Amino acid sequence: MRNVVFFHPSSDLYGADKILIYIMKNFKGDRVRLVLKTDGPFVGLVRRECPEVRIVMAPSMPVAAKKDLKPGGIVKFVKSLLTFGKVIGKLKAEGMDVMYVNTLALVPVLFFFRRSGVKKIIHVHEIMTNDKLLHRLLNGFALKLADAVICVSDAVRRNLCGLGYDDKLQTVYNGISFKSGSEDLRKMDVDADKVNMALIGRIKPKNKGQILLLEAMTKMHREVLKKTRFYFVGSPVQGQEYMLAEVERKIDELGLREYVTMMPFVNDIEIVYRAMDVIIVPSVFDDPFPTTVLEGMYWGRPVIGTATGGIPEMIADGVTGFIAERDNPDSLADKITALVTDKALAARMGENGRRRFENNFTEEAFNVRFGEAVRRILD
């Protein structure tokens, strides 16, 4: 039996949180501990799905962020390192054979193990482009200090190539499942005469593309737009509520209020997917492997995504949905219009997406890929 310790910074139940559940299940038979920085709905999910995992709350866990480059941030970051050292001491005393870091933002944790015999794995869910100093440092230290780096897409892997440790890199596509499948869930109230479309994700306009979608709506013919309803489902990061206000202002500024419904993130997200006709993932940053694309395909919905990060690896353009040009509202508007005006096409793409999901992105398919990767690393 191995002693395996996972380190994860978030408890919000967004994409990387859910994937961690599947990862931890691959270590059944081992003694598993999960170190979290914050409490949240993810904790309840872990207790339900992985009751054998012991959760350790560590508010001092150091997370690398741009704000830490300022004088006040540096002082706070150093203090967190010192405090977290005591947590690490306890974990080591209880035994540790494998440490698993579930994001590049937790690279500082690796420094506590740089001279130990602990096997160090980092799972990279993000693309931090090397044109920024902090990103290049995090990428470089992750590759240098870890024994193996698992990338969620080839786009993630390509971003890390060429820094001197390519032999440590391997791609393992995520997979998902929806356990309940219950028909007893409350129904979402939508207008069945409209083509209902959802953008599901954090309210982060410069990442997730909420404002890009609003601008695309202004490019659509008014008669086509009248046939639609757009749902923006998600919440801002605590302390960044101004981003939600920014999106709300843009809706009013563009005169789109009658076409848009804002909804906070819901834990039973399948309620939303069941009610939607189309899923839109209009990312304007290098989105590594957005879970919303997989979820849309699972529910047999056509998915429109942008040509960023790992999205083109997920959507078969013209088959399971469309790939719009990056940061191009006209291109996005054209793809939306095509599905609004041709419901047969939308239905066909949804069916194709479901088949693609079943062939490539189920939890079972992930377990096979991940299990092979872990055996290569640990055996």
Side-chain angles (χ1 to χ4, degrees), residues 186-256:
R186 62 184 174 85
K187 298 291 192 296
M188 184 173 166
D189 186 20
V190 298
D191 187 342
D193 293 327
K194 302 279 189 181
V195 178
N196 295 292
M197 305 187 174
L199 189 172
I200 302 171
R202 281 281 193 198
I203 301 296
K204 282 189 170 185
K206 292 183 179 178
N207 285 8
K208 295 300 183 180
Q210 283 88 1
I211 288 179
L212 171 64
L213 178 53
L214 293 173
E215 291 173 345
M217 291 166 62
T218 67
K219 306 292 185 179
M220 296 169 61
H221 192 282
R222 186 62 60 172
E223 292 305 311
V224 175
L225 187 58
K226 286 179 180 179
K227 298 177 182 179
T228 65
R229 187 74 189 180
F230 293 84
Y231 292 82
F232 287 36
V233 184
S235 303
V237 175
Q238 187 175 3
Q240 296 181 352
E241 288 77 11
Y242 67 90
M243 292 188 183
L244 175 59
E246 178 185 350
V247 173
E248 294 277 12
R249 282 196 301 271
K250 196 68 174 179
I251 292 171
D252 291 329
E253 176 188 317
L254 297 177
L256 296 171

Side-chain angles (χ1 to χ4, degrees), residues 268-288:
D268 295 325
I269 196 65
E270 63 185 274
I271 295 170
V272 178
Y273 283 107
R274 286 182 174 189
M276 293 299 112
D277 300 298
V278 178
I279 303 302
I280 305 178
V281 187
S283 300
V284 293
F285 78 125
D286 291 308
D287 213 340

Side-chain angles (χ1 to χ4, degrees), residues 89-317:
K90 292 179 180 179
L91 292 170
K92 287 181 176 179
E94 293 176 359
M96 188 184 302
D97 302 306
V98 180
M99 65 168 301
Y100 201 107
V101 176
N102 200 41
T103 172
L104 278 172
L106 291 182
V107 164
V109 175
L110 291 169
F111 281 91
F112 290 95
F113 299 89
R114 60 190 183 281
R115 293 189 182 90
S116 73
V118 175
K119 200 75 171 181
K120 299 174 284 295
I121 303 171
I122 185 164
H123 202 135
V124 184
H125 300 263
E126 60 266 86
I127 296 176
M128 294 187 175
T129 55
N130 292 299
D131 56 344
K132 296 180 180 178
L133 177 60
L134 177 61
H135 292 178
R136 190 171 183 85
L137 287 173
L138 289 174
N139 291 338
F141 282 125
L143 289 167
K144 182 178 177 62
L145 298 174
D147 295 298
V149 180
I150 296 176
C151 305
V152 298
S153 67
D154 285 335
V156 172
R157 188 177 186 278
R158 285 193 298 272
N159 185 62
L160 295 173
C161 282
L163 296 178
Y165 300 91
D166 292 3
D167 59 318
K168 294 184 179 183
L169 300 169
Q170 52 186 312
T171 298
V172 178
Y173 286 143
N174 291 337
I176 61 166
S177 67
F178 278 84
K179 293 297 184 184
S180 73
S182 173
E183 295 297 331
D184 298 328
L185 289 170
R186 62 184 174 85
K187 298 291 192 296
M188 184 173 166
D189 186 20
V190 298
D191 187 342
D193 293 327
K194 302 279 189 181
V195 178
N196 295 292
M197 305 187 174
L199 189 172
I200 302 171
R202 281 281 193 198
I203 301 296
K204 282 189 170 185
K206 292 183 179 178
N207 285 8
K208 295 300 183 180
Q210 283 88 1
I211 288 179
L212 171 64
L213 178 53
L214 293 173
E215 291 173 345
M217 291 166 62
T218 67
K219 306 292 185 179
M220 296 169 61
H221 192 282
R222 186 62 60 172
E223 292 305 311
V224 175
L225 187 58
K226 286 179 180 179
K227 298 177 182 179
T228 65
R229 187 74 189 180
F230 293 84
Y231 292 82
F232 287 36
V233 184
S235 303
V237 175
Q238 187 175 3
Q240 296 181 352
E241 288 77 11
Y242 67 90
M243 292 188 183
L244 175 59
E246 178 185 350
V247 173
E248 294 277 12
R249 282 196 301 271
K250 196 68 174 179
I251 292 171
D252 291 329
E253 176 188 317
L254 297 177
L256 296 171
R257 182 61 63 182
E258 65 178 293
Y259 306 107
V260 179
T261 296
M262 301 293 294
M263 293 176 56
F265 181 76
V266 294
N267 291 336
D268 295 325
I269 196 65
E270 63 185 274
I271 295 170
V272 178
Y273 283 107
R274 286 182 174 189
M276 293 299 112
D277 300 298
V278 178
I279 303 302
I280 305 178
V281 187
S283 300
V284 293
F285 78 125
D286 291 308
D287 213 340
F289 202 77
T291 304
T292 47
V293 175
L294 301 186
E295 291 172 340
M297 289 194 293
Y298 174 91
W299 288 105
R301 305 301 188 253
V303 182
I304 300 173
T306 45
T308 67
I311 293 176
E313 299 172 47
M314 308 170 79
I315 299 172
D317 189 27

Side-chain angles (χ1 to χ4, degrees), residues 40-71:
F42 178 60
V43 173
L45 182 63
V46 172
R47 287 175 175 153
R48 290 194 304 274
E49 295 288 331
C50 305
E52 71 284 357
V53 171
R54 181 161 70 88
I55 298 174
V56 178
M57 300 306 301
S60 62
M61 185 156 55
V63 178
K66 188 177 179 180
K67 61 185 178 182
D68 296 327
L69 297 178
K70 299 177 182 179

Side-chain angles (χ1 to χ4, degrees), residues 80-97:
S80 72
L81 286 174
L82 295 174
T83 305
F84 191 64
K86 298 176 183 178
V87 176
I88 292 296
K90 292 179 180 179
L91 292 170
K92 287 181 176 179
E94 293 176 359
M96 188 184 302
D97 302 306

